Amino acid sequence: MKRGGRSLVSSPPAFSNDAKKLRVSTISNATGLQTEDAETEDDLETSGTDEDDDLTVCGPSTVATSSFTKRVEYKLSKVEADDLSKKKWKYTWEVPAADISNCKWVGTGECFLKDDDLSSNYGLKQKLYKHWLDVYKTSGGNDFHSSKQRWFFSLCNSYRDILHGEKKPFYHKGLEEDSNIMDAYLMHSLNHIFRTRDLVRKNNAKIDKHQMNGKEEILPGDNFLDQGFTRPKILILLPLRSIALRVIERLIQLTPANSKVNVEHIDRFYKDFGSEEVSSDEEEEQSKNAKTKKPSKPSDHQSLFKGDTRDDFMIGIKFTRKTIKLYGDFYSSDIIVASPLELMTKFGKAEKNKDTDYLSSIEVVIIDHADVISLQNWSFLTSVVERLNHIPSKQHGTNVMRIRPWYLDGFARFYRQTIILGYYLNPDMNALFNHHCVNYQGKVKSVREHRGVLPKVLSQVRQIYERFDASSIADVDDARLEYFEKKVFPKIKDSDQGGIMLFASSYFEFVRLRNFLKSQNASFCLLGDYTNQKDISRARVWFFEGKRKIMLYTERIHFYRRYKIRGIRNLIIYSLPERKEFYYEIVNMLEGSDDLACTVLFSQYDKLQLERIVGTATAKRMIKSEKGVFVFC
């Protein structure tokens, strides 16, 4: 705010060089200053109806500072920031995960997982808490304090980075668990947005009052540093439009009634993302068809790929006092829901003018269904995370005199909370969590003892696991191919037997195997990620009829198509699948002989996949054992 050419808010004590230049630019253009909430009169109107607008958590006899306030008031030193950039985190405590068998939570720093004070609203704003409680009771709940969604909200509200790779998804008989976690992170997002907005509004009111009283002295600065470079604070990354539909619909449902008197562009939203509502006639017809015709795909595949499965979407969501505005301009939105693919497309279009500054002030990133994203293109997701929290190239109308110091100092990524949720863990998810999540408040992750899925192999198949050695994770791909060339392929080449399926988990491995088989003039056909439907049909016929000896098959095409391949007599699993159910699905395709064989290659760097399939205890023994061959029947 300005009065008589002078700023009524004192500047922060220190600025980075870039920030100083931006500040000088802002002061010289003082008449154009805005706060990030200054779009409409409706935005600037203070709510005046929420009992906890003082941003504290109030009990009957105590006043405790909320986790939101503790976070924004913490002043990170340069020494701490430098340490976080290269820190190797140590997980010092653990607690059982009551809702997941053989699972526990481990974390850094001090353990914060304890019973919350029921009188504190669990850190939620009063109106959000009341509305969520009503929604919970309406759905049949009777013990909110002990509920899974309340517990996971408290985990999110700690503002620590979270890696949960044991979340049972809605499409895999986990609708309740998935919905509970979704409700928790959506309420956390709403709570963060509403608290941020209320803080800005209250400070606006104080500055306006100060101006109206005609006072010329500068207001104390620290209390009024309440903004980032741009308005968007929450980024939710999802793989499919159908999942985005589910998330945004629930976000609207969880918003209190007085904050959604109007939802703008809802018709356009359903047109773009589809509606899950099914008419009674359609439901009856679907029920008849289900009884008369056996589905060709497993139930989890049908559930996941129901609806709009396109992976190119991005939508801004803005909250005003009484309205939810869908399709808001990204710079004026509070929440951005997007797919990594669409963001990468935006990056490409913005390359000339560098217009991705709307990601500069993201404070909470939620990556849901990370396992599905990993079967799209994980490098896109990594690129998106790397673009977050950079100092912007333009001012975008922000009042620099009210930007928090940790933005100006380039420390925003140390305040950003990242929540990664998936059905399973893989090395890419671990790498993202270990190297790109540097939240000063610490980390929490789930760890599980797996029982394995070998009992789900129906036929009497000799499953021979062969371990190969690799000196480092960087050498594992070359070591795997070398082992295959020298130990496995010669047996295939010298055999007259056909019906050999060669399964590869990644497209990179698929390409290397394809090139090697070509160099050996091998008789083979392909079912790869980019094989067109005509070639797929022809390859399946050739393989079944014995016109091609080897079929090269990938996990990604199995994920999207779930083919039942006929004619397999010898299965070679070049690399273990990430999804444990794919293992027994593919092994159960073996047919036609009393001497069915399955060969599996693995190394010590395949521990995550191996333990999901053979069990955690068995996997540890197989990796550490002096012998390198293991047989399961």
Side-chain angles (χ1 to χ4, degrees), residues 14 17 79 115 126 140 146 150 187 191 195 229-230 237 270 334 337 342 385 459 461 496-497 518 521 527 530 549 578:
N17 289 334
V79 173
D115 286 341
Q126 180 71 11
S146 301
R150 196 286 304 169
M187 289 306 297
N191 198 46
R195 285 189 179 280
F229 293 117
T230 54
L237 296 170
Y270 281 123
D334 297 296
V337 179
E342 185 63 20
V385 174
S459 53
V461 180
D496 294 330
Q497 184 192 36
K518 281 184 178 181
N521 294 318
L527 262 70
Y530 304 104
K549 185 177 179 179
E578 298 283 3

Side-chain angles (χ1 to χ4, degrees), residues 7 53 96 99 213 256 329 336 368 417 476 491 512 554 611:
S7 172
D53 275 356
D99 55 331
N213 291 338
D329 176 79
I336 294 174
D368 200 0
Q417 179 187 33
V476 70
K491 299 175 186 177
R512 299 191 89 184
T554 67
E611 66 179 5

Side-chain angles (χ1 to χ4, degrees), residues 350-415:
E351 201 60 44
K352 292 183 179 179
N353 55 18
K354 307 291 182 185
D355 189 22
T356 58
D357 292 345
Y358 47 80
L359 299 178
S360 64
S361 303
I362 296 295
E363 295 179 354
V364 179
V365 179
I366 299 161
I367 304 166
D368 200 0
H369 300 282
D371 53 294
V372 179
I373 295 174
S374 73
L375 285 161
Q376 294 174 328
N377 192 321
W378 188 262
S379 65
F380 288 174
L381 177 64
T382 303
S383 296
V384 169
V385 174
E386 288 173 346
R387 293 260 190 158
L388 300 176
N389 303 124
H390 291 188
I391 291 179
S393 58
K394 300 176 184 177
Q395 183 180 323
H396 302 291
T398 305
N399 184 348
V400 177
M401 306 305 290
R402 289 178 64 177
I403 294 177
R404 293 190 174 104
W406 37 273
Y407 278 109
L408 299 172
D409 292 336
F411 292 168
R413 66 192 182 105
F414 302 117
Y415 285 78

Side-chain angles (χ1 to χ4, degrees), residues 51 68 131 182 189 262 363 394 434 460 483 498 551 588 611:
E51 295 88 337
F68 172 86
H131 179 66
M182 179 175 67
S189 300
N262 182 31
E363 295 179 354
K394 300 176 184 177
N434 293 336
Q460 295 297 314
Y483 186 89
M551 173 179 280
N588 286 339
E611 66 179 5

Side-chain angles (χ1 to χ4, degrees), residues 109-142:
E110 295 184 5
C111 180
F112 63 93
L113 294 175
K114 54 187 178 181
D115 286 341
D116 292 81
D117 183 0
L118 274 67
S119 62
S120 71
N121 301 338
Y122 308 104
L124 276 162
K125 285 180 62 62
Q126 180 71 11
K127 65 180 179 182
L128 288 174
Y129 172 66
K130 286 180 177 178
H131 179 66
W132 196 12
L133 198 59
D134 289 342
V135 171
Y136 175 77
K137 291 178 178 177
T138 302
S139 65
N142 55 19

Side-chain angles (χ1 to χ4, degrees), residues 148-162:
K148 295 175 183 177
Q149 57 261 56
R150 196 286 304 169
W151 191 93
F152 198 79
F153 168 80
S154 295
L155 192 64
C156 294
N157 193 49
S158 72
Y159 280 99
R160 287 160 171 80
D161 289 332
I162 301 170

Side-chain angles (χ1 to χ4, degrees), residues 269-538:
F269 171 68
Y270 281 123
K271 182 179 179 181
D272 288 349
F273 287 81
S275 174
E276 290 188 332
E277 293 182 2
V278 179
S279 68
S280 57
D281 292 339
E282 289 176 330
E283 192 172 4
E284 185 177 351
E285 184 67 24
Q286 289 175 6
S287 178
K288 288 180 181 178
N289 291 337
K291 292 177 182 178
T292 59
K293 184 180 178 181
K294 185 178 179 180
S296 60
K297 307 295 182 186
S299 58
D300 64 289
H301 184 277
Q302 296 176 63
S303 181
L304 175 59
F305 291 104
K306 184 176 74 172
D308 192 336
T309 58
R310 288 178 293 172
D311 56 1
D312 55 339
F313 59 91
M314 184 171 175
I315 181 171
I317 304 172
K318 176 181 178 180
F319 291 86
T320 66
R321 191 170 68 90
K322 293 183 178 181
T323 301
I324 299 175
K325 298 182 178 182
L326 304 178
Y327 295 97
D329 176 79
F330 297 134
Y331 284 99
S332 64
S333 297
D334 297 296
I335 298 176
I336 294 174
V337 179
S339 65
L341 172 64
E342 185 63 20
L343 276 168
M344 286 299 294
T345 303
K346 297 288 186 189
F347 295 163
K349 292 178 180 177
E351 201 60 44
K352 292 183 179 179
N353 55 18
K354 307 291 182 185
D355 189 22
T356 58
D357 292 345
Y358 47 80
L359 299 178
S360 64
S361 303
I362 296 295
E363 295 179 354
V364 179
V365 179
I366 299 161
I367 304 166
D368 200 0
H369 300 282
D371 53 294
V372 179
I373 295 174
S374 73
L375 285 161
Q376 294 174 328
N377 192 321
W378 188 262
S379 65
F380 288 174
L381 177 64
T382 303
S383 296
V384 169
V385 174
E386 288 173 346
R387 293 260 190 158
L388 300 176
N389 303 124
H390 291 188
I391 291 179
S393 58
K394 300 176 184 177
Q395 183 180 323
H396 302 291
T398 305
N399 184 348
V400 177
M401 306 305 290
R402 289 178 64 177
I403 294 177
R404 293 190 174 104
W406 37 273
Y407 278 109
L408 299 172
D409 292 336
F411 292 168
R413 66 192 182 105
F414 302 117
Y415 285 78
R416 185 187 74 231
Q417 179 187 33
T418 306
I419 301 172
I420 305 172
L421 305 168
Y423 179 37
Y424 58 78
L425 280 181
N426 67 17
D428 288 332
M429 297 175 201
N430 275 332
L432 183 73
F433 192 65
N434 293 336
H435 302 302
H436 293 282
C437 301
V438 287
N439 185 345
Y440 84 87
Q441 294 196 257
K443 302 187 178 194
V444 183
K445 66 179 182 180
S446 59
V447 178
R448 189 174 190 177
E449 292 277 331
H450 293 273
R451 294 175 180 172
V453 295
L454 293 180
K456 295 190 176 183
V457 174
L458 302 178
S459 53
Q460 295 297 314
V461 180
R462 291 178 72 248
Q463 302 155 69
I464 304 169
Y465 283 68
E466 299 183 17
R467 191 183 68 217
F468 64 91
D469 296 323
S471 57
S472 69
I473 194 168
D475 297 327
V476 70
D477 292 320
D478 291 337
R480 190 187 305 272
L481 183 60
E482 182 181 0
Y483 186 89
F484 175 79
E485 291 176 355
K486 294 181 178 180
K487 300 292 185 180
V488 180
F489 185 72
K491 299 175 186 177
I492 299 173
K493 190 175 183 180
D494 297 338
S495 172
D496 294 330
Q497 184 192 36
I500 301 167
M501 173 180 275
L502 187 52
F503 176 89
S505 178
S506 74
Y507 182 69
F508 171 75
E509 293 165 338
F510 169 84
V511 171
R512 299 191 89 184
L513 285 172
R514 180 195 63 192
N515 294 343
F516 172 73
L517 293 174
K518 281 184 178 181
S519 72
Q520 300 298 309
N521 294 318
S523 170
F524 72 101
C525 57
L526 304 171
L527 262 70
D529 299 0
Y530 304 104
T531 311
N532 63 50
Q533 188 58 51
K534 183 178 178 180
D535 290 339
I536 286 173
S537 299
R538 182 167 55 234

